[in-house]
Amino acid sequence: MIHFIKCTDGKERQIFPAKIKHKDRIRHFTTKFSAAAAIVNLMAVDNEKAAKLDDENFFDETPYNAMMEILRLAFGEKYTVEQIEEFVDVEMIAEILEVFYGMSGYKKKATQNKEPIGMS
């Protein structure tokens, strides 16, 4: 199934599902951010920097950078992080990740059948 999302610049762009060949990159980056709440990735605090109080930028960029790498994969690596920052807003991220991770079908099945995937 082909999925498109209308971006903030008015253009529709294709969202690709996760590819098996990217499993190592997906594993690496997915563990570093919250797919459930995009705003958490934007506001992540680096406790060491915050404790010093002399560093004005006490945010941890790791979750944001990891999320952006997954978004790059979701757009088929056709765009740079900088380009994605221009045409994707925070509200769109959940939908993009849902398509990328292929959760739509899983969520529907999970509500109908409480058994985990692979256990039916």
Side-chain angles (χ1 to χ4, degrees):
M1 181 175 240
I2 298 175
H3 295 276
F4 288 88
I5 190 163
K6 188 167 187 171
C7 297
T8 59
D9 61 3
K11 295 180 182 176
E12 287 195 357
R13 290 184 173 82
Q14 185 174 356
I15 304 169
F16 297 87
K19 293 181 181 175
I20 294 171
K21 73 178 187 175
H22 292 138
K23 71 174 176 49
D24 292 333
R25 291 169 67 190
I26 293 167
R27 288 174 182 167
H28 174 77
F29 291 119
T30 298
T31 61
K32 297 181 182 288
F33 76 98
S34 170
I39 196 71
V40 172
N41 304 312
L42 300 174
M43 302 303 294
V45 174
D46 183 326
N47 291 329
E48 289 181 23
K49 287 182 183 178
K52 293 178 185 175
L53 297 177
D54 60 346
D55 190 347
E56 290 181 18
N57 183 12
F58 54 83
F59 294 101
D60 182 0
E61 296 296 326
T62 304
Y64 177 78
N65 292 337
M67 178 183 72
M68 293 306 295
E69 284 302 314
I70 292 295
L71 289 176
R72 228 173 50 72
L73 291 175
F75 283 108
E77 300 178 282
K78 294 181 178 187
Y79 307 101
T80 65
V81 167
E82 292 78 16
Q83 290 171 313
I84 294 169
E85 289 173 332
E86 292 294 323
F87 61 75
V88 170
D89 64 27
V90 175
E91 186 178 334
M92 298 164 57
I93 294 171
E95 181 180 351
I96 295 167
L97 294 177
E98 185 173 312
V99 172
F100 178 72
Y101 288 120
M103 294 299 288
S104 294
Y106 170 71
K107 285 183 180 178
K108 288 176 190 170
K109 288 179 185 174
T111 58
Q112 294 169 355
N113 182 1
K114 298 295 181 188
E115 292 181 26
I117 289 180
M119 300 299 287
S120 55

